[in-house]
């Protein structure tokens, strides 16, 4: 087991500013916490977190991560709590250890959905602090290295999970060494026959070609020296699992494999990389189609290198990677090297970016590359990470990860953040730019939702969202908004009913009769009256049981003089039964009113003309022009009639629909003439329909939009003034 000072020395070697005291305290604390616990191997349990920390020193991570690695199993396996860790080591390390505890039980579950959920959990933990992933991978690597101590029946399951999730994850964030080691261990556990076969073939290859690696290494070194290039050369055989996977993918035999041997040439600068390429291509024939320049076009995970394959000195295909030392560092340690130790120390980087920004940027890039890498097929081919294919990963401005199904919009995002945010969303910014709420979100998008307290989600959103949460929340909010509208209407109707009857009305009295009206709450009573399901007279009677409702049915009915006075006379107000004057009329602002209002279909009223409201069960109020012929249908139901008036402000620029039938003399240019008048008078034509046609006349129906009754009258007058127009009539719904 590694000694305390050895570990500290290892860290100090690459990070001279590391907090020695922190490392020592973490070492001692973890050792004591695990006490006499043992591993399956019989070793003291503490050897495991210590080895994990040691692996991480190879990745050259910061001292906090090393400390967290030593502590990573304490909350899960000992009496230690988060609070203990926080008081001793600070909030950052406590968060790291807690994050690792949360994902400890990330088990391979047979169900895809459950697995996706586990992955999501892990990503969330990683999102809090990206260093969690580094410790988790190191933890897994050590567990895999010691997997032979685990009972055989458990090995396969752990290996499967590693091969499907952790190995690709390591590779994707650029930690190729770790990926390959994980894969090879899994290969031997899961496919022992295939692994044995590949190993045997590799042996045969070695005995056939002798010490070929050393031979080529020397050859390359001599060539570099001869050209005055400073550099280093490393050769190796490809890993068994990678060989096997290529055999599978390309359906080739071991003998046909293009490149069992791989060499890496590391030089001081980029021009030297291209010089080496020239030297190599000069010395040996290169294999066409195998050349890739990742220096001019780096991979998404920052991998940079030149790749080529040549036919080497012993007629073996040899793969070459040519890159600078700095590029090699990133290729070896992945984003760990890049993000944590590029040119600065952690402390310097934190000072510039802030700790959060560092972890967050790192994760953000990781997740982007996860799902949108340069070659997702290759990456996903043998991995369960294809689960990510159906998902997009987005972020709040604070860096909180929000996972959504593909096709999700900012509306879905808003509801995923919080129902209130969704309900009040009015706009959004994606990556700092204003964008429609209906945009399709993409991986890595940073989404900021703009809200307004006054906003209610439009019902149409329901068909635009893809998440169940958003859909049900919108439905609930819409239902609630509609119910509120009906309740508001019902409340006014009831108030006026009491007024009309000359009876005093209070909320308390009404509340006391709610059970008698068989409604769960007063709000429901209001809504029922507003919806026309409950008659306001019945509510009055419930409060005053001896009350006899007057039904002042006049001979003329609601449309007659007894009800509305002389039609057409400006000063005449219309009334509802039993009510004098129009002082208490419901103000109507149009379709965006806070009341459930709609205009009579097929020729509604326009501001300035007198209107009446008809309470329609389940629909609220329908507004008719007072001359509408449809109104006679409601003559027998006086309680459905409502006194309404326009509440349109002077100068309000808003158009209302009206319908005209225009008869024109059938001659060329007549339609154009009508259209010209419409244009001149600023009528907005919505629709034109040919209604009837005789030899002499055409009858056309126009749906137009006008400002008010004055505007409509002007249009009609101007039309009538044209010689070719025989007649103009308004259609009323
Ligand atoms: Mn562990």
């Amino acid at each position: 087991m590694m000694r305390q000072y050895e570990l500290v020395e290892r860290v100090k070697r690459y990070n001279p500013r590391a907090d020695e005291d922190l490392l020592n305290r973490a070492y001692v604390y973890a050792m004591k916490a695990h006490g006499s616990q043992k591993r399956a191997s019989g070793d003291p349990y503490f050897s495991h977190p210590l080895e994990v920390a040691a692996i991480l020193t190879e990745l050259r991570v910061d001292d906090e991560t090393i400390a967290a690695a030593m502590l990573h199993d304490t909350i899960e396996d000992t009496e230690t709590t988060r609070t203990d860790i926080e008081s001793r080591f600070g909030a950052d390390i406590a968060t790291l250890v807690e994050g690792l505890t949360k994902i400890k039980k990330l088990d391979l579950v047979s169900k895809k959905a459950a697995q996706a959920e586990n992955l999501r959990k892990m990503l969330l933990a990683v999102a809090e602090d990206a260093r969690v992933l580094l410790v988790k991978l190191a933890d897994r690597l050590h567990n895999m290295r010691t997997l032979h101590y685990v009972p055989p029946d458990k090995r396969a399951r752990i290996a499967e999970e590693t091969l499907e999730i952790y190995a690709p994850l390591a590779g994707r964030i650029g930690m190729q060494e770790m990926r390959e080691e994980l894969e090879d261990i899994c290969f031997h556990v899961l496919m022992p026959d295939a692994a044995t076969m590949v190993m045997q073939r590799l042996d045969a290859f070695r005995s056939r070609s002798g010490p070929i690696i050393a031979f080529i290494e020397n050859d390359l070194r001599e060539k570099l020296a001869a050209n005055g290039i400073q550099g280093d050369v490393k050769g190796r055989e490809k890993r068994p699992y990678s060989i096997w996977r290529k055999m599978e993918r390309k359906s080739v035999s071991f003998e046909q494999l293009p490149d069992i041997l791989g060499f890496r040439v590391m030089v001081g600068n980029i021009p030297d990389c291209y010089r080496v390429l020239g030297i190599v291509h000069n010395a040996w024939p290169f294999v066409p189609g195998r050349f890739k320049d990742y220096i001019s076009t780096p991979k998404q995970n920052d991998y940079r290198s030149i790749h080529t394959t040549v036919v080497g000195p012993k007629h073996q295909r040899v793969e070459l990677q040519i890159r600078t030392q700095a590029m090699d560092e990133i290729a070896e340690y992945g984003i760990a090297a890049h993000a944590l130790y590029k040119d600065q120390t952690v402390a310097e980087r934190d000072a510039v970016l802030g700790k959060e920004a560092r972890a967050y940027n790192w994760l953000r890039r990781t997740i982007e590359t996860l799902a949108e890498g340069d070659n997702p097929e290759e990456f996903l081919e043998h991995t369960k990470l294809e689960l990510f294919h159906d998902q997009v990963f987005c972020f709040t401005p604070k860096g909180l990860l929000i996972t959504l199904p593909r096709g999700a919009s900012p509306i879905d995002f808003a509801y995923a953040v919080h129902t209130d945010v969704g309900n009040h969303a009015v706009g959004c910014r994606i990556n700092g730019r204003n964008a429609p709420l209906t945009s399709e979100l993409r991986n890595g998008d940073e989404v900021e939702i703009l809200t307004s307290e006054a906003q209610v989600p439009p019902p149409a959103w329901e068909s635009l969202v893809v998440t169940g949460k958003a859909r049900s929340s919108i439905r609930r909010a819409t239902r609630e908004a509609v119910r509120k509208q009906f309740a508001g209407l019902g409340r006014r109707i009831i108030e006026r009913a009491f007024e009309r009857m000359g009876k005093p009305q209070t909320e308390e009295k009404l509340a006391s009769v709610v059970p008698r009206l068989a409604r769960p709450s007063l709000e429901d009573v209001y809504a029922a009256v507003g919806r026309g399901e409950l008659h306001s007279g019945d509510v009055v009677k419930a409060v005053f049981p001896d009350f006899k409702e007057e039904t002042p049915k006049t001979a003329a009915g609601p449309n007659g003089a007894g009800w509305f006075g002389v039609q057409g006379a400006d000063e005449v107000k219309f009334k509802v039964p039993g009510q004098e004057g129009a002082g208490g009329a419901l103000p109507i602002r149009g379709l965006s009113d806070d009341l459930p209002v709609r205009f009579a279909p097929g020729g509604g009223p326009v501001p300035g003309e007198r209107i009446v409201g008809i309470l329609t069960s389940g629909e609220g109020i329908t507004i008719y022009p007072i001359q509408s012929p449809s109104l006679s249908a409601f003559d027998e139901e006086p309680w459905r009639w409502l006194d309404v008036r326009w509440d349109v402000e002077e100068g309000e620029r808003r158009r209302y629909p009206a319908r005209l039938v225009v008869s024109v003399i059938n001659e060329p240019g007549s339609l154009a003439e009508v259209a010209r008048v419409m244009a001149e008078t600023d009528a907005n034509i919505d629709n034109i329909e040919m209604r009837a046609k005789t030899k002499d006349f055409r009858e056309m129906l126009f749906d137009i939009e006008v400002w008010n009754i004055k505007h409509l009258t002007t249009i009609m007058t101007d039309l009538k003034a044209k010689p070719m127009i025989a007649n103009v009539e308004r259609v009323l719904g």
Side-chain angles (χ1 to χ4, degrees):
M1 200 156 73
M2 202 191 321
R3 311 290 277 278
Q4 198 169 333
Y5 73 89
E6 283 176 277
L7 181 81
V8 174
E9 250 173 33
R10 277 209 202 194
V11 178
K12 285 250 158 179
R13 218 172 292 151
Y14 66 83
N15 183 10
R17 300 192 211 181
D19 183 345
E20 212 171 307
D21 176 54
L22 170 71
L23 296 171
N24 283 326
R25 282 187 294 121
Y27 187 106
V28 172
Y29 185 88
M31 188 169 62
K32 280 189 184 155
H34 287 294
S36 57
Q37 289 173 355
K38 292 259 189 292
R39 297 264 296 169
S41 60
D43 288 337
Y45 192 92
F46 178 61
S47 66
H48 163 67
L50 191 57
E51 280 303 322
V52 173
I55 290 169
L56 286 165
T57 62
E58 285 159 31
L59 298 173
R60 308 194 302 177
V61 301
D62 64 346
D63 42 17
E64 284 191 342
T65 312
I66 300 285
M70 283 189 278
L71 299 165
H72 83 268
D73 279 331
T74 54
I75 294 183
E76 175 78 14
D77 295 339
T78 76
E79 303 288 303
T80 303
T81 64
R82 189 205 147 103
T83 319
D84 295 337
I85 302 229
E86 191 166 344
S87 65
R88 284 181 171 81
F89 301 99
D92 277 1
I93 290 177
T95 305
L96 280 171
V97 176
E98 193 180 45
L100 285 155
T101 310
K102 275 186 206 151
I103 56 174
K104 175 119 197 227
K105 287 179 179 160
L106 187 108
D107 276 338
L108 190 76
V109 190
S110 59
K111 279 190 189 120
K112 240 189 151 188
Q115 200 175 14
E117 176 56 21
N118 278 339
L119 277 167
R120 202 182 66 82
K121 264 188 209 150
M122 178 165 82
L123 282 169
L124 284 172
V126 172
E128 258 185 81
D129 191 328
R131 295 173 294 181
V132 164
L133 188 55
L134 293 181
V135 183
K136 184 67 204 172
L137 287 170
D139 176 38
R140 179 54 57 120
L141 180 58
H142 184 245
N143 285 335
M144 292 307 288
R145 282 178 181 168
T146 52
L147 191 66
H148 49 281
Y149 295 116
V150 170
D153 56 311
K154 284 186 182 167
R155 280 180 215 165
R157 199 182 51 83
I158 297 169
E160 247 170 65
E161 185 185 58
T162 304
L163 195 59
E164 286 167 349
I165 293 169
Y166 292 100
L169 210 48
R172 209 55 191 176
I173 62 173
M175 291 155 54
Q176 301 307 333
E177 289 284 328
M178 185 182 282
R179 192 204 77 206
E180 288 177 348
E181 187 177 347
L182 287 171
E183 281 176 352
D184 274 343
I185 299 170
C186 296
F187 186 38
H188 282 95
V189 173
L190 295 172
M191 290 160 275
D193 293 346
T196 308
M197 182 273 287
V198 173
M199 299 298 280
Q200 282 169 352
R201 302 286 178 91
L202 268 176
D203 281 345
F205 167 81
R206 275 181 218 121
S207 56
R208 213 171 42 239
S209 32
I212 190 163
I213 291 179
F215 180 83
I216 295 176
E217 270 182 358
N218 284 332
D219 199 349
L220 277 166
R221 277 196 197 105
E222 278 166 22
K223 286 190 165 60
L224 289 188
N227 286 276
I229 297 172
Q230 295 272 333
D232 198 5
V233 179
K234 264 187 215 158
R236 62 164 198 160
E237 280 169 6
K238 288 284 171 70
R239 295 275 198 154
Y241 182 69
S242 120
I243 292 173
W244 182 80
R245 204 157 65 171
K246 266 196 185 144
M247 290 168 69
E248 284 254 303
R249 187 158 62 228
K250 301 197 170 149
S251 307
V252 293
S253 70
F254 187 79
E255 280 68 26
Q256 291 170 292
L257 266 188
D259 43 8
I260 290 163
L261 298 178
F263 289 84
R264 194 179 295 165
V265 184
M266 289 146 295
V267 293
N269 53 52
I270 291 178
D272 277 354
C273 292
Y274 291 98
R275 286 177 69 199
V276 171
L277 180 69
I279 293 162
V280 166
H281 280 185
N282 234 339
W284 298 301
F286 75 96
V287 180
R290 303 269 304 159
F291 172 75
K292 279 185 189 118
D293 184 357
Y294 293 119
I295 289 182
S296 60
T297 319
K299 287 192 184 189
Q300 288 219 355
N301 59 12
D302 272 351
Y303 176 84
R304 299 175 83 194
S305 197
I306 292 170
H307 288 192
T308 190
T309 302
V310 297
V311 181
K314 298 215 167 169
H315 306 289
Q316 274 297 338
R317 287 187 175 202
V318 172
E319 192 191 75
L320 280 152
Q321 299 172 342
I322 307 163
R323 58 207 189 200
T324 66
Q325 254 93 13
M327 292 172 190
D328 190 54
E329 204 144 282
I330 288 179
E332 290 263 307
Y333 305 119
I335 300 172
H338 182 78
L340 301 171
Y341 282 94
K342 185 77 186 304
D343 305 305
Q344 302 152 305
T345 65
V346 180
E348 278 162 358
R349 193 163 279 248
D350 281 351
V352 180
L353 292 173
K355 219 164 262 182
E356 254 180 46
R358 182 179 45 142
Y360 164 49
N361 288 334
W362 182 70
L363 174 74
R364 182 174 171 147
R365 286 225 322 260
T366 301
I367 287 165
E368 262 171 75
T369 47
L370 265 179
E372 289 187 336
D374 52 309
N375 192 351
E377 280 69 40
E378 186 185 13
F379 168 58
L380 293 170
E381 199 173 271
H382 294 280
T383 76
K384 276 273 161 62
L385 288 174
E386 66 197 328
L387 294 166
F388 290 127
H389 253 356
D390 317 329
Q391 294 179 294
V392 286
F393 298 96
C394 301
F395 299 88
T396 67
K398 284 186 179 166
L400 181 69
L401 174 69
I402 304 282
T403 311
L404 294 164
R406 215 158 259 285
S409 67
I411 305 173
D412 291 293
F413 182 93
Y415 278 104
V417 171
H418 197 279
T419 308
D420 278 348
V421 177
N423 283 341
H424 295 132
V426 288
C428 71
R429 274 199 273 276
I430 299 176
N431 303 321
R433 288 196 168 165
N434 286 321
L437 278 170
T438 48
S439 324
E440 185 173 332
L441 291 176
R442 287 189 280 172
N443 267 307
D445 277 346
E446 183 187 297
V447 186
E448 183 187 353
I449 300 293
L450 311 173
T451 58
S452 157
E453 273 306 305
Q455 169 73 358
V456 178
W461 278 8
E462 204 184 310
S463 57
L464 295 175
V465 299
V466 299
T467 52
K469 180 172 186 210
R471 192 166 294 136
S472 67
S473 303
I474 292 164
R475 199 171 296 165
R476 206 179 316 118
T478 308
R479 215 187 293 129
E480 183 54 25
V482 168
R483 208 185 68 96
K484 266 195 184 133
Q485 287 185 342
F486 280 123
L489 173 61
R491 184 196 305 266
R492 297 196 212 184
I493 292 171
I494 289 173
E495 275 167 14
R496 248 191 326 281
F498 276 94
E499 248 171 60
R500 217 158 57 214
M501 318 296 186
K503 296 281 186 190
Q505 179 237 327
T506 62
E507 290 257 319
E508 292 80 61
K509 276 193 197 125
L510 279 175
S512 68
V513 298
V514 166
R516 208 174 314 156
L517 294 165
R519 306 284 158 170
S521 72
L522 183 54
E523 201 68 8
D524 288 294
V525 171
Y526 288 145
V529 172
R531 257 188 229 108
E533 292 162 4
L534 181 64
H535 175 21
S536 59
D538 291 340
V539 179
V540 181
K541 266 188 267 180
V543 180
F544 301 103
D546 54 337
F547 174 72
K548 284 263 187 309
E549 189 177 7
E550 293 168 42
T551 46
K553 243 182 144 348
T554 65
N559 253 348
W563 289 87
F564 299 105
V566 183
Q567 284 187 23
D570 281 341
E571 69 278 12
V572 172
K573 315 273 190 203
F574 53 89
K575 313 162 185 173
V576 284
Q579 191 190 352
E580 294 304 314
L586 289 170
I588 297 299
R589 294 191 133 262
L591 298 175
S592 68
D593 202 285
D594 62 337
L595 293 174
V597 167
R598 63 181 191 123
F599 290 134
V606 296
E609 74 181 325
R610 291 198 309 283
I611 48 176
V612 67
I614 294 294
L615 197 52
T616 312
S617 184
E619 284 179 5
I621 323 171
T622 308
I623 307 295
Y624 291 87
I626 203 117
Q627 318 95 302
S628 172
S630 312
L631 286 171
S632 60
F634 311 111
D635 278 357
E636 302 305 315
E637 302 162 291
W639 62 273
R640 292 180 64 182
W641 291 66
L642 287 170
D643 189 5
V644 293
R645 64 176 167 83
W646 290 103
D647 182 23
V648 180
E649 300 206 354
E650 196 70 35
E652 188 179 302
R653 297 311 273 171
R654 176 171 172 181
R655 290 174 179 269
Y656 293 80
R659 185 173 276 189
L660 297 179
V661 172
V662 181
S663 299
V664 296
I665 296 162
N666 198 2
E667 60 182 54
S670 56
L671 178 60
E673 182 73 0
V674 175
R676 202 173 55 79
V677 175
M678 297 281 194
E680 276 169 9
T681 52
D682 189 30
N684 219 9
I685 301 177
D686 235 20
N687 187 32
I688 305 175
E689 216 174 278
M690 203 61 72
R691 290 194 95 188
K693 193 178 171 181
T694 66
K695 262 207 161 116
D696 297 324
F697 293 100
R698 287 176 183 202
E699 197 176 76
M700 287 172 291
L701 182 135
F702 282 86
D703 280 318
I704 57 175
E705 286 176 335
V706 300
W707 302 113
N708 50 40
I709 190 72
K710 200 175 152 206
H711 184 208
L712 180 61
T713 311
T714 309
I715 295 164
M716 290 175 73
T717 313
D718 282 16
L719 283 170
K720 281 177 187 162
K722 297 292 164 195
M724 61 184 49
I725 293 174
N727 192 29
V728 180
E729 252 177 68
R730 176 140 178 237
V731 181
L732 296 168

